[in-house]
Amino acid sequence: RTLRAGKLTERVLKLFIATGKDEVFSLIQALNIQVTVTPVLPTRALRPDLTSFMNEWRTIFSRFHLIIVKDPDLKEELKIPEGFNLDVYKKPDIDRVVGTSTSTIFSGYSCRYFGYLVSRKKYIISVDDDCYPVKDNKGILVDAVAQHITNLTTPATPFFFNTLYDPFTEGADFVRGYPFSLRSGVQCALSCGLWLNLADYDAPTQALKPEERNSRYVDAVLTVPARTLMPISGINIAFNREVIGPALLPSLRLGGEGKFRWETMEDIWSGMCVKVVCDHLGLGVKTGMPYVWRNDRGDAIASLRKEWEGVKLMEEVVPFFQSVRLSREATTTEDCVAEVANVVKEQLGSKDPMFARAAKAMVDWVKLWKSVGSSTSSPGA
Amino acid sequence: MNEPATAIEAAVAASPLHQLKDELDIVIPTIRNLDFLEMWRPFLQPYHLIIVQDGDPSKTIKVPNGFDYELYNRNDINRILGPKASCISFKDSACRCFGYMVSKKKYIFTIDDDCFVAKDPSGKAINALEQHIKNLLSPSTPFFFNTLYDPFAEGADFVRGYPFSLREGVSTAVSHGLWLNIPDYDAPTQLVKPLERNTRFVDAVLTIPKGTLFPMCGMNLAFDRQLIGPAMYFGLMGEGQPIGRYDDMWAGWCIKVICDHLGLGVKTGLPYIYHSKASNPFVNLRKEYKGIYWQEDIIPFFQQVVLPKDCTTVQKCYIELAKQVKEKLGKIDPYFDKLADAMVTWIQAWDGLNPTSASFSNGKTG
């Protein structure tokens, strides 16, 4: 496929060799495109036209297989430019694969999970459609895909902090005082990228600082230490589907969940689960580069009303996940997710029906993954 | 871009009113002259220096004109501490912790005499002390990781999903800076990569999460003496000791465990200094040799340390830690017995020299 696209560059060749097999990577795009324009405040009109998005990413995406999932709530036809190797899934496809009653879990930003479900590749890279490639401090275009893959294919070091950040990066190493027995690291299951311009702030923060844009390019990748939790944004992430696939899941849906990132918490919730599972299975999570450029979109003030719910939720969610301890018997990702679901139901279910629904959604997801996800999920390293 | 900056008018003109100049001491261990201070003059001259002279006390250390300082050599240390001077290392930069003990200020900045002013990617001279002060005066966030690093930095904030109840943060006890040019590698790594230089300027400060240990380097370090001072003991190294180049490491593991227990923060990242001198890797190897093996046991020890709830001051935490060192590490080597005793001696010496601030409770200044 790569040869067909005429893109067998030396770098791509090295990647093939590095994986040890002839595996190619999947790219998923979550499409959450607004049909309507907010009438009151000035907002850009968004159309289901992916042309500029795909063209901006063309040099980086075109050598990979793409999976495009259309938000089942989106009525208009998609416009996708030529020249890509892709599969497009729309509501009828989703219905066919999971059934019409289940397909509702894939509405809005959660449509990306359908792509994760049906992919058969080892690695998945997922980028929101309002993000574009960025240039680094030297003015060179950042190949976000390559950076994510580097992150996923080099070890993570969650058990001891390295003050020079990623020791496997060129020009860096482990510092004095770093135990040698910990220097081989563990497998990296998740790579969390960052955003220039519109950072992933919540609505209150963005509403308070409407002019604030992130212009700080931090030239680092680091492993998030074991047992340390963080908000994992779904805007720009990549993961090893074989190892951690079932743990990225659509489950928590806010009552007023909307079509802007400010109005969701689904990725934050999913990210907490993933981190807890990774910590339990001895897998690594990295954060930092690559950066993408995130365009201005939506209105923080308008979203305030909807996101307030999510903001309040985190007060419960964070201490809860910090206290979760999985049993020794949970040795696969599916088992871990099922156990987390159980604890969610027991400890949070009574506090808010949203949590009870989330717990059920997690259980359903594991079943769905087993039947549709089908590629064997191996136990963590 | 990464050569040491010369002292420039621009730097002086650009730097703001020197913050905390009456509340901060700069501690420098040395055996040679202090010519390196010339380059630091625009940033450091307003501050008081505590120079700890290691090695031969009869030697005279030349300090550039215009700096206000007090100097202590081995004779002074022996005179001031009497028999307790046994806890202060000789023929090792670990002796610098004597400077922490004898200071009367709230903050300490310590720097090695082969560390110069670095330049940021735009070519501007970095005022390392100013950045350390920023780090110490703004809160830390050890309970939940912020993916945009220091939320209190200009142009940054807490990301979506960060609980509002955790956004006030906690007091920052330690600010750990980094180094361009010669990186702080151990001897084996130095031998394998003698030419590697750190040229990566990472524009970030971050809080090291609670429960996570790190290798603390004493080359470019600042801390709040009132919050964590008594735990900044740099151990027994150098002459008569089986180990060297683990002084700052030891202190780093101790302070992190205690900060985690007391709810204090430790930051790492900016500022960078320019580290000019690579020490001899063969000499280093001999010093570090035992440490490289011992750290395999030391790290799990610190990772599993639990301090009882009634340890509400730094001193109490430290004494308890010394007790556990003796119990659990004593069996590895008699050195740890000696070290545990020295840790207790250190606290006694500290309290002796700092009687009024003998007790601090969680994060509150004495």
Side-chain angles (χ1 to χ4, degrees):
Chain A
R1 221 178 283 124
T2 317
L3 288 167
R4 234 190 309 141
K7 291 280 183 185
L8 186 60
T9 62
E10 193 193 325
R11 179 197 260 158
V12 175
L13 181 66
K14 277 190 183 147
L15 288 174
F16 283 152
I17 294 166
T19 59
K21 323 178 205 178
D22 188 13
E23 298 249 282
V24 188
F25 317 117
S26 254
L27 255 160
I28 317 276
Q29 273 133 43
L31 299 198
N32 313 284
I33 313 230
Q34 285 299 105
V35 182
T36 56
V37 178
T38 39
V40 180
L41 299 157
T43 319
R44 215 172 299 141
L46 297 161
R47 299 151 303 164
D49 182 346
L50 290 180
T51 316
S52 81
F53 172 77
M54 308 262 311
N55 281 331
E56 289 285 334
W57 282 103
R58 187 181 286 275
T59 52
I60 295 168
F61 283 1
S62 60
R63 35 198 166 117
F64 298 104
H65 174 236
L66 277 75
I67 293 180
I68 295 181
V69 184
K70 181 182 168 192
D71 178 359
D73 301 336
L74 184 65
K75 298 287 177 281
E76 300 184 8
E77 278 307 306
L78 295 177
K79 270 202 221 134
I80 300 170
E82 296 287 311
F84 291 92
N85 169 16
L86 48 75
D87 285 313
V88 184
Y89 296 91
K90 307 175 196 168
K91 186 171 189 319
D93 305 304
I94 301 176
D95 288 342
R96 189 178 25 89
V97 173
V98 303
T100 43
S101 51
T102 310
S103 66
T104 51
I105 65 173
F106 297 117
S107 106
Y109 276 98
S110 295
C111 63
R112 64 200 176 108
Y113 295 108
F114 182 81
Y116 304 168
L117 184 69
V118 297
S119 165
R120 290 294 173 264
K121 299 293 182 358
K122 181 169 178 175
Y123 299 107
I124 289 187
I125 292 162
S126 183
V127 173
D128 276 6
D129 68 340
D130 52 358
C131 295
Y132 289 79
V134 91
K135 289 204 169 111
D136 67 15
N137 286 332
K138 298 192 178 86
I140 300 171
L141 192 74
V142 170
D143 184 338
V145 172
Q147 182 65 56
H148 272 306
I149 290 173
T150 301
N151 294 350
L152 291 170
T153 52
T154 52
T157 51
F159 304 120
F160 202 72
F161 190 87
N162 193 45
T163 47
L164 278 188
Y165 313 109
D166 183 2
F168 296 98
T169 209
E170 211 174 294
D173 211 309
F174 291 96
V175 296
R176 173 174 59 98
Y178 204 104
F180 276 79
S181 63
L182 294 180
R183 293 194 189 196
S184 35
V186 298
Q187 188 173 27
C188 181
L190 187 72
S191 164
C192 309
L194 294 173
W195 343 267
L196 287 178
N197 192 46
L198 198 73
D200 190 14
Y201 291 143
D202 51 44
T205 305
Q206 195 74 65
L208 190 70
K209 300 175 163 188
E211 304 306 309
E212 179 133 303
R213 296 293 178 268
N214 185 24
S215 54
R216 181 180 276 108
Y217 187 98
V218 178
D219 185 4
V221 176
L222 58 136
T223 299
V224 183
R227 289 180 322 278
T228 296
L229 294 182
M230 65 195 244
I232 294 180
S233 165
I235 295 174
N236 170 19
I237 62 166
F239 59 99
N240 183 328
R241 187 185 176 279
E242 259 175 35
V243 152
I244 203 70
L248 278 98
L249 35 73
S251 81
L252 186 82
R253 186 174 286 275
L254 296 179
E257 179 165 300
K259 302 295 188 185
F260 291 106
R261 264 285 173 221
W262 286 313
E263 298 163 351
T264 70
M265 275 294 169
E266 55 87 10
D267 51 349
I268 306 294
W269 173 271
S270 169
M272 295 276 172
C273 297
V274 175
K275 185 59 165 64
V276 164
V277 172
C278 283
D279 285 349
H280 178 78
L281 295 178
L283 299 167
V285 173
K286 291 185 185 175
T287 186
M289 300 192 293
Y291 280 87
V292 294
W293 180 275
R294 189 161 170 251
N295 270 342
D296 286 43
R297 177 155 150 184
D299 183 332
I301 296 173
S303 294
L304 258 180
R305 261 168 271 129
K306 288 189 180 174
E307 212 215 345
W308 207 240
E309 192 189 1
V311 163
K312 282 190 289 180
L313 264 190
M314 290 311 291
E315 299 299 333
E316 294 273 11
V317 169
V318 169
F320 166 74
F321 276 105
Q322 282 173 334
S323 69
V324 168
R325 296 285 179 270
L326 299 175
S327 74
R328 224 176 273 158
E329 287 75 40
T331 52
T332 67
T333 306
E334 287 94 334
D335 287 348
C336 290
V337 175
E339 259 189 40
V340 176
N342 229 5
V343 187
V344 170
K345 182 164 146 215
E346 280 167 22
Q347 291 183 15
L348 292 180
S350 48
K351 295 193 180 175
D352 192 312
M354 203 183 328
F355 291 127
R357 283 195 294 270
K360 179 167 188 310
M362 291 171 77
V363 172
D364 291 344
W365 176 258
V366 174
K367 290 196 196 121
L368 191 59
W369 187 274
K370 283 181 177 159
S371 68
V372 177
S374 102
S375 61
T376 51
S377 190
S378 45
Chain B
M1 178 151 82
N2 286 329
E3 312 148 56
T6 53
I8 31 177
E9 312 276 278
V12 184
S15 63
L17 258 183
H18 289 283
Q19 278 182 293
L20 304 182
K21 60 179 162 69
D22 298 322
E23 296 178 70
L24 185 144
D25 276 336
I26 302 178
V27 173
I28 307 169
T30 187
I31 51 171
R32 16 173 186 250
N33 58 57
L34 293 177
D35 290 347
F36 87 110
L37 282 176
E38 261 324 317
M39 199 197 196
W40 286 101
R41 193 184 283 278
F43 301 140
L44 301 188
Q45 189 169 327
Y47 297 90
H48 180 73
L49 311 179
I50 295 180
I51 300 164
V52 183
Q53 179 183 345
D54 196 15
D56 182 2
S58 64
K59 190 164 174 221
T60 309
I61 301 291
K62 275 184 354 165
V63 184
N65 282 335
F67 282 95
D68 171 46
Y69 69 94
E70 57 198 275
L71 185 145
Y72 300 91
N73 60 29
R74 191 70 206 187
N75 296 337
D76 300 312
I77 295 173
N78 290 336
R79 178 177 44 84
I80 293 171
L81 293 184
K84 298 203 177 68
S86 59
C87 73
I88 304 294
S89 304
F90 184 55
K91 296 236 177 112
D92 193 286
S93 63
C95 64
R96 77 175 82 210
C97 63
F98 177 78
Y100 310 158
M101 189 195 279
V102 97
S103 163
K104 299 283 171 262
K105 303 283 174 54
K106 181 159 157 65
Y107 300 100
I108 298 277
F109 169 46
T110 184
I111 186 172
D112 278 10
D113 61 9
D114 58 353
C115 294
F116 292 83
V117 177
K119 281 193 180 132
D120 71 17
S122 76
K124 180 167 163 238
I126 299 171
N127 184 343
L129 182 53
E130 184 182 58
Q131 180 67 51
H132 274 303
I133 290 172
K134 270 196 199 140
N135 294 348
L136 289 171
L137 294 183
S138 61
S140 293
T141 52
F143 304 122
F144 201 61
F145 190 86
N146 193 45
T147 46
L148 278 188
Y149 314 110
D150 183 3
F152 299 99
E154 213 175 291
D157 213 309
F158 291 97
V159 296
R160 177 173 56 102
Y162 205 105
F164 274 77
S165 61
L166 293 180
R167 294 192 188 197
E168 248 179 65
V170 297
S171 301
T172 302
V174 179
S175 166
H176 177 262
L178 296 174
W179 349 272
L180 290 173
N181 195 44
I182 308 286
D184 189 25
Y185 289 158
D186 53 45
T189 309
Q190 273 182 292
L191 286 165
V192 169
K193 301 176 159 190
L195 299 177
E196 183 144 285
R197 298 290 176 264
N198 185 24
T199 54
R200 178 178 277 107
F201 183 92
V202 178
D203 186 6
V205 177
L206 58 135
T207 299
I208 301 183
K210 178 176 176 178
T212 300
L213 293 175
F214 76 114
M216 184 177 86
C217 174
M219 255 198 267
N220 171 20
L221 185 71
F223 59 94
D224 184 325
R225 205 178 147 274
Q226 282 175 3
L227 286 182
I228 199 66
M232 275 290 185
Y233 175 48
F234 271 38
L236 289 173
M237 307 277 144
E239 184 165 276
Q241 307 300 342
I243 188 176
R245 283 171 56 88
Y246 271 86
D247 51 337
D248 42 6
M249 296 297 135
W250 183 263
W253 299 324
C254 291
I255 61 100
K256 188 57 167 61
V257 162
I258 293 176
C259 282
D260 285 351
H261 177 79
L262 294 178
L264 299 170
V266 175
K267 291 184 182 176
T268 186
L270 303 178
Y272 282 89
I273 48 91
Y274 184 90
H275 185 210
S276 67
K277 194 172 178 294
S279 37
N280 184 311
F282 297 100
V283 171
N284 290 344
L285 187 58
R286 232 177 298 131
K287 290 182 183 174
E288 290 172 10
Y289 178 78
K290 293 221 160 111
I292 288 176
Y293 287 96
W294 288 347
Q295 75 192 6
E296 296 297 333
D297 288 306
I298 296 173
I299 301 294
F301 162 75
F302 278 104
Q303 282 172 334
Q304 288 154 29
V305 161
V306 175
L307 296 172
K309 273 205 189 92
D310 60 0
C311 290
T312 50
T313 68
V314 177
Q315 285 94 330
K316 284 195 190 141
C317 290
Y318 203 73
I319 299 285
E320 172 65 29
L321 203 50
K323 200 173 97 194
Q324 294 192 28
V325 167
K326 199 177 253 257
E327 274 168 20
K328 308 213 176 111
L329 294 179
K331 43 179 115 98
I332 298 177
D333 192 281
Y335 168 75
F336 291 101
D337 263 322
K338 268 189 4 181
L339 181 57
D341 289 339
M343 286 168 76
V344 174
T345 307
W346 158 267
I347 293 292
Q348 291 167 351
W350 180 285
D351 283 346
L353 287 181
N354 301 280
T356 53
S357 57
S359 269
F360 322 107
S361 40
N362 300 2
K364 294 198 173 76
T365 57

